[in-house]
Amino acid sequence: MTEVTVKRSQPTASDKAGIRAFHVNVPEAELNELRRRINATRWPERETVTDASQGVQLATMQKLAHYWVTEYDWRKCEAKLNALPQFVTEIDGVDIHFIHVRSKHQNALPLIITHGWPGSIIELMKIIDPLTNPTAHGASASDAFDLVIPSIAGYGFSGKPTTTGWDPAHMARAWVVLMKRLGYTRFVAQGGDWGAMVSELIAKQAPPELLGIHLNMPATVPADVAKALMVGDPPPSGLSADERRAYEQLAFFYTHGIGYATEMQNHPQTIYGIADSPVGLAAWILDHDARSYELISRVFDGQSAGLTRDDVLDNITLYWLTNTAISSGRLYWENKLPFFDVKNVTTPVAVSVFPDEIYAAPRTWTERAYPKLIYYNRVDRGEHFAAWEQPQLFSAEVRAGFRPLRH
């Protein structure tokens, strides 16, 4: 499969650090080849259980594949992308793709938001207008943001590193370079999944331009709890009900939900099958965590949910067209930091807890993890892909979380 074709101005040796326009234009032959490969899928037999305990179910995948071939239209997603201001700039030898939307409101707060895996810029597109144009969504002009949404190196339309070293800390340093290159002398950062770790590492690096961060998957697990989880011990004594629930959620995830991360952490290059099969790639992406899989699978049964079939396939198709199944997985191999352990961040932090996240961070752990906690709120709905599934609620949380830093 050839790489996706884009229209962009070409840099000279002297202006690679410049900001270049970016436009997506996938050749029709690539889309025809995608459909051909889906139709050529060699299906396995049905799982031997009636639930998802053996993984992504055959019926779900066959419904997804049928819709992908017969009804899904990538051109609609392409048009939405091309309606946004997109750019590329080279940082440390790698082209970084990003969306940059400036608010029409004065004194908009610059905000860089980072996606995760198996997400992309697709999962963040619904929050662009609510954050940059808050008055159109029932909020105040004083809550406006200038928004920068980059694609992590090795993901989406960003370049693929050809050498080692692009770990989350490197990504954090690159984002500071990007924001300064865009002319911002102060900014805030937000993220969930990998985006949470990158945002925390920006805060830990403490560049003078950073005012604070907002997280929807915070790293708050105390050392004794992390140790118990690592070796499979019972939870430490004295945990509150919220803390015990968080322990149980993490124990379930570590026991039943982390297989994909273990493989990419050890041998990301081995997963040739998902780079070669669209259906294999789709199943790999759907099998992230139990709750988000429930939400995604039910939309292919015609049920209403925060996501649509097109939402799901926009993201999967982006991975396919950019051939980033393996390059995105290398971030797990590069990373050496525990996801949920405390990172000793001392800059201002806001936290929103969505109930169906991998774990619901208790207030007690959060207050200990972030000595400058400026906002903590538990909302009543939403899961791991909160910006994608609950964009209005997510946007309201981001506004509230950063409000204390605006003055």
Side-chain angles (χ1 to χ4, degrees), residues 342-379:
V342 175
K343 305 294 190 299
N344 298 314
V345 172
T346 58
T347 55
V349 178
V351 170
S352 296
V353 178
F354 291 84
D356 291 317
E357 181 54 89
I358 291 172
Y359 87 109
R363 178 184 285 272
T364 50
W365 291 1
T366 307
E367 289 175 342
R368 292 202 297 270
Y370 306 116
K372 291 185 179 177
L373 186 70
I374 58 172
Y375 179 84
Y376 176 92
N377 190 40
R378 298 176 73 116
V379 297

Side-chain angles (χ1 to χ4, degrees), residues 6 32 37 71 75 124 132 146 158 200-201 214 223 228 230 232 236 280 283 299 301 303 311 318 320 349 358 379 403:
V6 298
N32 290 334
R37 284 174 176 257
E71 296 185 56
R75 298 300 183 196
L124 302 174
T132 59
D146 279 357
S158 280
E200 283 197 279
L201 291 173
H214 176 274
M230 183 64 64
V299 306
D301 289 328
Q303 300 180 43
D311 286 334
L318 176 64
W320 176 261
V349 178
I358 291 172
V379 297
R403 206 166 282 142

Side-chain angles (χ1 to χ4, degrees), residues 3-11 18-26 74 77-90 95-100 121-122 125 149-151 155-160 318 321-322 324:
E3 295 293 327
V4 62
T5 300
V6 298
K7 295 179 181 178
R8 66 179 82 169
S9 54
Q10 295 301 314
I19 308 298
R20 294 169 272 142
F22 183 96
H23 186 90
V24 185
N25 182 21
V26 175
W74 164 258
C77 180
E78 191 174 84
K80 290 178 184 177
L81 285 166
N82 287 332
L84 296 167
Q86 297 179 85
F87 305 93
V88 170
T89 189
E90 185 178 305
D95 268 357
I96 298 298
H97 164 266
F98 62 98
I99 296 167
H100 184 201
I121 56 169
I122 298 295
M125 289 174 64
I149 304 177
S151 298
Y155 286 66
F157 299 119
S158 280
K160 301 172 185 178
L318 176 64
L321 293 173
T322 55
T324 48

Side-chain angles (χ1 to χ4, degrees), residues 288-330:
H288 180 270
D289 68 279
R291 184 57 179 146
S292 64
Y293 169 67
E294 288 177 16
L295 291 171
I296 289 171
S297 61
R298 74 184 184 184
V299 306
F300 290 98
D301 289 328
Q303 300 180 43
S304 60
L307 300 178
T308 68
R309 293 179 295 182
D310 284 354
D311 286 334
V312 175
L313 286 171
D314 286 345
N315 185 57
I316 295 170
T317 305
L318 176 64
Y319 271 83
W320 176 261
L321 293 173
T322 55
N323 194 14
T324 48
I326 287 177
S327 60
S328 64
R330 291 195 188 105

